[in-house]
Amino acid sequence: QVQLVESGGGSSPAGGSLRVSCVASADITFYCMGWFRQAPGKEREVVATIGRGGGTTYADSVNGRFTVDRDNAMRTLTLDMNSLRPEDTAIYYCAARGPWCGGAVYQRRDDYNFWGQGTQVTVSP
């Protein structure tokens, strides 16, 4: 069982940058990790994923603007968000699939069994 706690986020004008972070309560070396977001009235959607080996995937809407990274020694997952747009406004959730994850790419909400409480990101026009 791992607990995830997000931090960071906040508010930014369009074109700005923010970082959201996630700290895990246990070793995440063999977990697959991901960031999801949920805007008001919309379904939760994948933003970025990072596998055990560091391979990454991004939603088309954020590709080239967002960067996901992990530091297993610090049990931390980060999402750097640049060139923010108002449509990036959402609650951002850290997610983990484990305690052991295979080499496949996991991009569905149901693929992840541990979730953080979420952190708000608001981008103004």
Side-chain angles (χ1 to χ4, degrees):
Q1 188 90 4
V2 64
Q3 294 180 327
L4 305 171
V5 178
E6 298 99 337
S7 62
S11 299
S12 171
S17 298
L18 290 171
R19 165 179 281 195
V20 289
S21 299
C22 171
V23 177
S25 62
D27 184 4
I28 58 170
T29 300
F30 300 107
Y31 284 73
C32 292
M33 305 295 295
W35 286 101
F36 287 71
R37 68 186 181 186
Q38 189 166 14
K42 295 188 176 182
E43 295 291 317
R44 192 171 299 188
E45 63 177 5
V46 66
V47 175
T49 69
I50 184 165
R52 291 183 294 127
T56 59
T57 69
Y58 296 93
D60 289 343
S61 59
V62 307
N63 196 24
R65 301 188 297 121
F66 290 12
T67 302
V68 61
D69 200 5
R70 64 190 294 164
D71 184 336
N72 292 334
M74 298 299 292
R75 294 181 278 120
T76 299
L77 181 74
T78 58
L79 183 70
D80 287 310
M81 304 179 288
N82 299 308
S83 302
L84 284 163
R85 304 168 180 171
E87 53 263 39
D88 294 321
T89 295
I91 299 174
Y92 282 70
Y93 296 91
C94 173
R97 175 184 173 95
W100 189 90
C101 180
V105 174
Y106 300 98
Q107 296 180 307
R108 299 181 307 150
R109 179 177 179 175
D110 289 346
D111 290 333
Y112 293 82
N113 51 339
F114 299 103
W115 292 85
Q117 81 289 350
T119 186
Q120 178 71 45
V121 170
T122 303
V123 183
S124 56

Short mmCIF file of all heavy atoms in Angstrom, two decimals, residues 74-114:
data_model
loop_
_atom_site.label_atom_id
_atom_site.label_comp_id
_atom_site.label_asym_id
_atom_site.label_seq_id
_atom_site.Cartn_x
_atom_site.Cartn_y
_atom_site.Cartn_z
N MET A 74 14.04 9.61 -3.96
CA MET A 74 13.27 10.58 -3.17
C MET A 74 11.79 10.22 -3.13
O MET A 74 11.00 10.93 -2.50
CB MET A 74 13.45 11.98 -3.75
CG MET A 74 14.88 12.48 -3.72
SD MET A 74 15.53 12.58 -2.04
CE MET A 74 14.54 13.91 -1.39
N ARG A 75 11.42 9.15 -3.82
CA ARG A 75 10.02 8.70 -3.88
C ARG A 75 9.12 9.83 -4.39
O ARG A 75 8.02 10.07 -3.87
CB ARG A 75 9.54 8.22 -2.52
CG ARG A 75 10.26 6.96 -2.04
CD ARG A 75 9.77 6.48 -0.70
NE ARG A 75 10.37 7.19 0.41
CZ ARG A 75 9.72 7.91 1.30
NH1 ARG A 75 8.42 8.04 1.22
NH2 ARG A 75 10.35 8.49 2.28
N THR A 76 9.60 10.52 -5.44
CA THR A 76 8.92 11.71 -5.92
C THR A 76 8.61 11.63 -7.40
O THR A 76 9.41 11.13 -8.19
CB THR A 76 9.79 12.94 -5.65
OG1 THR A 76 9.99 13.08 -4.24
CG2 THR A 76 9.12 14.21 -6.16
N LEU A 77 7.45 12.15 -7.76
CA LEU A 77 7.02 12.30 -9.15
C LEU A 77 6.74 13.78 -9.37
O LEU A 77 6.15 14.42 -8.50
CB LEU A 77 5.75 11.49 -9.40
CG LEU A 77 5.17 11.52 -10.81
CD1 LEU A 77 6.02 10.68 -11.75
CD2 LEU A 77 3.73 11.00 -10.78
N THR A 78 7.19 14.32 -10.50
CA THR A 78 6.96 15.73 -10.78
C THR A 78 6.35 15.91 -12.16
O THR A 78 6.49 15.05 -13.03
CB THR A 78 8.26 16.55 -10.69
OG1 THR A 78 9.22 16.00 -11.61
CG2 THR A 78 8.83 16.55 -9.28
N LEU A 79 5.69 17.03 -12.33
CA LEU A 79 5.16 17.42 -13.64
C LEU A 79 5.46 18.89 -13.81
O LEU A 79 4.90 19.72 -13.09
CB LEU A 79 3.65 17.16 -13.72
CG LEU A 79 3.00 17.47 -15.07
CD1 LEU A 79 3.46 16.45 -16.13
CD2 LEU A 79 1.47 17.46 -14.95
N ASP A 80 6.36 19.21 -14.74
CA ASP A 80 6.65 20.59 -15.07
C ASP A 80 5.75 21.01 -16.23
O ASP A 80 5.73 20.34 -17.27
CB ASP A 80 8.12 20.74 -15.46
CG ASP A 80 9.03 20.64 -14.26
OD1 ASP A 80 8.77 21.33 -13.26
OD2 ASP A 80 10.00 19.86 -14.31
N MET A 81 5.05 22.10 -16.03
CA MET A 81 4.07 22.56 -17.00
C MET A 81 4.47 23.94 -17.50
O MET A 81 4.57 24.88 -16.72
CB MET A 81 2.67 22.61 -16.35
CG MET A 81 2.25 21.27 -15.75
SD MET A 81 0.63 21.34 -14.96
CE MET A 81 1.04 22.29 -13.50
N ASN A 82 4.70 24.03 -18.80
CA ASN A 82 5.09 25.28 -19.44
C ASN A 82 4.06 25.69 -20.48
O ASN A 82 3.23 24.87 -20.90
CB ASN A 82 6.46 25.13 -20.09
CG ASN A 82 7.56 24.80 -19.09
OD1 ASN A 82 7.72 25.48 -18.09
ND2 ASN A 82 8.30 23.73 -19.34
N SER A 83 4.14 26.94 -20.89
CA SER A 83 3.21 27.47 -21.91
C SER A 83 1.77 27.11 -21.55
O SER A 83 1.00 26.62 -22.39
CB SER A 83 3.56 26.90 -23.29
OG SER A 83 4.89 27.23 -23.64
N LEU A 84 1.42 27.38 -20.31
CA LEU A 84 0.10 26.99 -19.82
C LEU A 84 -1.01 27.71 -20.57
O LEU A 84 -0.87 28.87 -21.01
CB LEU A 84 0.00 27.29 -18.32
CG LEU A 84 0.75 26.28 -17.44
CD1 LEU A 84 0.95 26.85 -16.04
CD2 LEU A 84 -0.01 24.96 -17.38
N ARG A 85 -2.12 26.99 -20.68
CA ARG A 85 -3.31 27.51 -21.36
C ARG A 85 -4.49 27.44 -20.41
O ARG A 85 -4.51 26.60 -19.50
CB ARG A 85 -3.60 26.65 -22.59
CG ARG A 85 -2.45 26.54 -23.58
CD ARG A 85 -2.72 25.46 -24.61
NE ARG A 85 -1.61 25.33 -25.57
CZ ARG A 85 -1.51 24.34 -26.46
NH1 ARG A 85 -2.43 23.39 -26.51
NH2 ARG A 85 -0.48 24.32 -27.28
N PRO A 86 -5.50 28.28 -20.61
CA PRO A 86 -6.68 28.21 -19.73
C PRO A 86 -7.30 26.82 -19.70
O PRO A 86 -7.83 26.39 -18.66
CB PRO A 86 -7.62 29.24 -20.36
CG PRO A 86 -6.69 30.24 -20.98
CD PRO A 86 -5.54 29.43 -21.51
N GLU A 87 -7.22 26.08 -20.79
CA GLU A 87 -7.80 24.74 -20.82
C GLU A 87 -7.01 23.72 -20.01
O GLU A 87 -7.44 22.56 -19.86
CB GLU A 87 -7.96 24.23 -22.27
CG GLU A 87 -6.69 24.29 -23.10
CD GLU A 87 -6.60 25.54 -23.96
OE1 GLU A 87 -7.00 26.63 -23.48
OE2 GLU A 87 -6.11 25.42 -25.10
N ASP A 88 -5.86 24.12 -19.47
CA ASP A 88 -5.12 23.25 -18.56
C ASP A 88 -5.67 23.33 -17.13
O ASP A 88 -5.23 22.57 -16.26
CB ASP A 88 -3.63 23.63 -18.54
CG ASP A 88 -2.93 23.38 -19.86
OD1 ASP A 88 -3.23 22.35 -20.51
OD2 ASP A 88 -2.11 24.22 -20.26
N THR A 89 -6.59 24.23 -16.89
CA THR A 89 -7.19 24.38 -15.58
C THR A 89 -7.91 23.10 -15.17
O THR A 89 -8.77 22.61 -15.91
CB THR A 89 -8.18 25.55 -15.56
OG1 THR A 89 -7.45 26.78 -15.78
CG2 THR A 89 -8.91 25.64 -14.23
N ALA A 90 -7.53 22.56 -14.03
CA ALA A 90 -8.10 21.29 -13.57
C ALA A 90 -7.50 20.94 -12.21
O ALA A 90 -6.56 21.60 -11.74
CB ALA A 90 -7.79 20.16 -14.55
N ILE A 91 -8.06 19.91 -11.61
CA ILE A 91 -7.40 19.29 -10.46
C ILE A 91 -6.47 18.21 -11.02
O ILE A 91 -6.90 17.37 -11.83
CB ILE A 91 -8.42 18.67 -9.50
CG1 ILE A 91 -9.34 19.76 -8.94
CG2 ILE A 91 -7.70 17.95 -8.35
CD1 ILE A 91 -10.47 19.23 -8.09
N TYR A 92 -5.23 18.25 -10.59
CA TYR A 92 -4.22 17.30 -11.07
C TYR A 92 -3.99 16.23 -10.01
O TYR A 92 -3.74 16.55 -8.83
CB TYR A 92 -2.92 18.04 -11.39
CG TYR A 92 -3.01 18.76 -12.71
CD1 TYR A 92 -3.82 19.89 -12.85
CD2 TYR A 92 -2.33 18.31 -13.85
CE1 TYR A 92 -3.94 20.54 -14.08
CE2 TYR A 92 -2.42 18.96 -15.07
CZ TYR A 92 -3.24 20.07 -15.17
OH TYR A 92 -3.36 20.71 -16.38
N TYR A 93 -4.04 14.97 -10.46
CA TYR A 93 -3.91 13.83 -9.57
C TYR A 93 -2.68 13.01 -9.92
O TYR A 93 -2.42 12.71 -11.09
CB TYR A 93 -5.13 12.92 -9.68
CG TYR A 93 -6.42 13.54 -9.25
CD1 TYR A 93 -7.24 14.22 -10.14
CD2 TYR A 93 -6.83 13.45 -7.91
CE1 TYR A 93 -8.43 14.79 -9.74
CE2 TYR A 93 -8.04 14.01 -7.50
CZ TYR A 93 -8.82 14.68 -8.41
OH TYR A 93 -10.01 15.24 -8.00
N CYS A 94 -1.95 12.61 -8.90
CA CYS A 94 -0.86 11.67 -9.02
C CYS A 94 -1.43 10.26 -8.88
O CYS A 94 -2.31 10.03 -8.04
CB CYS A 94 0.15 11.96 -7.91
SG CYS A 94 1.49 10.79 -7.72
N ALA A 95 -0.94 9.32 -9.69
CA ALA A 95 -1.44 7.96 -9.65
C ALA A 95 -0.29 6.97 -9.74
O ALA A 95 0.74 7.24 -10.37
CB ALA A 95 -2.41 7.73 -10.80
N ALA A 96 -0.49 5.81 -9.10
CA ALA A 96 0.53 4.76 -9.11
C ALA A 96 -0.10 3.41 -9.38
O ALA A 96 -1.22 3.14 -8.92
CB ALA A 96 1.26 4.72 -7.77
N ARG A 97 0.60 2.59 -10.14
CA ARG A 97 0.18 1.21 -10.41
C ARG A 97 1.26 0.32 -9.83
O ARG A 97 2.42 0.37 -10.24
CB ARG A 97 0.04 0.98 -11.91
CG ARG A 97 -0.27 -0.48 -12.28
CD ARG A 97 -0.30 -0.66 -13.78
NE ARG A 97 -0.44 -2.06 -14.15
CZ ARG A 97 -1.62 -2.63 -14.43
NH1 ARG A 97 -2.72 -1.91 -14.38
NH2 ARG A 97 -1.67 -3.91 -14.76
N GLY A 98 0.88 -0.51 -8.87
CA GLY A 98 1.87 -1.36 -8.25
C GLY A 98 1.25 -2.32 -7.28
O GLY A 98 0.03 -2.51 -7.26
N PRO A 99 2.10 -3.01 -6.48
CA PRO A 99 3.49 -2.65 -6.18
C PRO A 99 4.50 -3.08 -7.24
O PRO A 99 5.67 -2.71 -7.15
CB PRO A 99 3.77 -3.37 -4.86
CG PRO A 99 2.87 -4.54 -4.89
CD PRO A 99 1.62 -4.08 -5.59
N TRP A 100 4.07 -3.86 -8.24
CA TRP A 100 4.97 -4.19 -9.32
C TRP A 100 4.25 -3.94 -10.63
O TRP A 100 3.09 -4.33 -10.79
CB TRP A 100 5.44 -5.65 -9.24
CG TRP A 100 6.53 -5.94 -10.22
CD1 TRP A 100 7.87 -5.82 -10.03
CD2 TRP A 100 6.37 -6.40 -11.56
NE1 TRP A 100 8.55 -6.18 -11.17
CE2 TRP A 100 7.67 -6.53 -12.12
CE3 TRP A 100 5.27 -6.73 -12.35
CZ2 TRP A 100 7.87 -6.96 -13.43
CZ3 TRP A 100 5.46 -7.16 -13.65
CH2 TRP A 100 6.76 -7.27 -14.16
N CYS A 101 4.91 -3.28 -11.54
CA CYS A 101 4.28 -2.91 -12.79
C CYS A 101 5.08 -3.47 -13.96
O CYS A 101 6.31 -3.44 -13.92
CB CYS A 101 4.20 -1.37 -12.88
SG CYS A 101 3.45 -0.77 -14.39
N GLY A 102 4.38 -3.94 -14.97
CA GLY A 102 5.05 -4.50 -16.13
C GLY A 102 5.57 -3.42 -17.06
O GLY A 102 5.57 -2.24 -16.74
N GLY A 103 5.99 -3.84 -18.23
CA GLY A 103 6.60 -2.92 -19.17
C GLY A 103 5.64 -2.26 -20.14
O GLY A 103 6.06 -1.48 -20.99
N ALA A 104 4.35 -2.53 -19.98
CA ALA A 104 3.38 -1.94 -20.89
C ALA A 104 3.16 -0.47 -20.54
O ALA A 104 3.58 0.01 -19.50
CB ALA A 104 2.06 -2.71 -20.81
N VAL A 105 2.47 0.23 -21.44
CA VAL A 105 2.08 1.62 -21.19
C VAL A 105 0.67 1.63 -20.61
O VAL A 105 -0.23 0.98 -21.15
CB VAL A 105 2.12 2.43 -22.50
CG1 VAL A 105 1.57 3.83 -22.27
CG2 VAL A 105 3.55 2.50 -23.01
N TYR A 106 0.50 2.33 -19.54
CA TYR A 106 -0.79 2.38 -18.84
C TYR A 106 -1.32 3.80 -18.86
O TYR A 106 -0.72 4.69 -18.26
CB TYR A 106 -0.63 1.87 -17.42
CG TYR A 106 -0.13 0.44 -17.35
CD1 TYR A 106 1.21 0.15 -17.14
CD2 TYR A 106 -1.01 -0.62 -17.54
CE1 TYR A 106 1.67 -1.15 -17.10
CE2 TYR A 106 -0.56 -1.93 -17.51
CZ TYR A 106 0.78 -2.18 -17.29
OH TYR A 106 1.23 -3.48 -17.26
N GLN A 107 -2.43 4.00 -19.56
CA GLN A 107 -2.97 5.34 -19.73
C GLN A 107 -4.43 5.46 -19.32
O GLN A 107 -5.02 6.54 -19.44
CB GLN A 107 -2.82 5.79 -21.19
CG GLN A 107 -1.37 5.93 -21.63
CD GLN A 107 -1.25 6.38 -23.06
OE1 GLN A 107 -1.84 5.78 -23.97
NE2 GLN A 107 -0.52 7.45 -23.28
N ARG A 108 -5.01 4.38 -18.84
CA ARG A 108 -6.41 4.44 -18.42
C ARG A 108 -6.50 4.66 -16.93
O ARG A 108 -5.66 4.20 -16.15
CB ARG A 108 -7.14 3.15 -18.80
CG ARG A 108 -7.19 2.83 -20.27
CD ARG A 108 -7.96 1.54 -20.49
NE ARG A 108 -7.43 0.47 -19.65
CZ ARG A 108 -8.15 -0.53 -19.17
NH1 ARG A 108 -9.45 -0.58 -19.39
NH2 ARG A 108 -7.59 -1.48 -18.44
N ARG A 109 -7.52 5.33 -16.50
CA ARG A 109 -7.73 5.58 -15.08
C ARG A 109 -7.77 4.26 -14.31
O ARG A 109 -7.18 4.14 -13.23
CB ARG A 109 -9.05 6.34 -14.89
CG ARG A 109 -9.40 6.64 -13.44
CD ARG A 109 -10.68 7.45 -13.37
NE ARG A 109 -11.05 7.73 -11.98
CZ ARG A 109 -12.05 8.51 -11.63
NH1 ARG A 109 -12.79 9.11 -12.56
NH2 ARG A 109 -12.33 8.72 -10.36
N ASP A 110 -8.43 3.26 -14.86
CA ASP A 110 -8.58 1.98 -14.17
C ASP A 110 -7.28 1.19 -14.08
O ASP A 110 -7.21 0.18 -13.37
CB ASP A 110 -9.64 1.12 -14.88
CG ASP A 110 -11.04 1.66 -14.68
OD1 ASP A 110 -11.22 2.52 -13.79
OD2 ASP A 110 -11.95 1.23 -15.41
N ASP A 111 -6.25 1.61 -14.81
CA ASP A 111 -4.96 0.93 -14.74
C ASP A 111 -4.22 1.21 -13.44
O ASP A 111 -3.28 0.52 -13.10
CB ASP A 111 -4.07 1.37 -15.91
CG ASP A 111 -4.55 0.84 -17.24
OD1 ASP A 111 -5.21 -0.23 -17.26
OD2 ASP A 111 -4.29 1.50 -18.27
N TYR A 112 -4.64 2.26 -12.71
CA TYR A 112 -3.92 2.71 -11.53
C TYR A 112 -4.72 2.41 -10.27
O TYR A 112 -5.93 2.64 -10.23
CB TYR A 112 -3.60 4.20 -11.64
CG TYR A 112 -2.61 4.48 -12.74
CD1 TYR A 112 -3.03 4.59 -14.06
CD2 TYR A 112 -1.25 4.57 -12.46
CE1 TYR A 112 -2.11 4.79 -15.08
CE2 TYR A 112 -0.33 4.79 -13.47
CZ TYR A 112 -0.77 4.89 -14.78
OH TYR A 112 0.14 5.09 -15.79
N ASN A 113 -4.03 1.90 -9.27
CA ASN A 113 -4.72 1.49 -8.05
C ASN A 113 -4.43 2.36 -6.83
O ASN A 113 -4.99 2.11 -5.76
CB ASN A 113 -4.45 0.00 -7.74
CG ASN A 113 -2.98 -0.36 -7.75
OD1 ASN A 113 -2.14 0.32 -8.32
ND2 ASN A 113 -2.64 -1.47 -7.12
N PHE A 114 -3.56 3.35 -6.98
CA PHE A 114 -3.31 4.28 -5.87
C PHE A 114 -3.40 5.71 -6.41
O PHE A 114 -2.86 6.00 -7.47
CB PHE A 114 -1.93 4.03 -5.25
CG PHE A 114 -1.78 2.65 -4.68
CD1 PHE A 114 -1.06 1.67 -5.35
CD2 PHE A 114 -2.37 2.32 -3.46
CE1 PHE A 114 -0.92 0.40 -4.82
CE2 PHE A 114 -2.24 1.05 -2.93
CZ PHE A 114 -1.52 0.09 -3.61
#
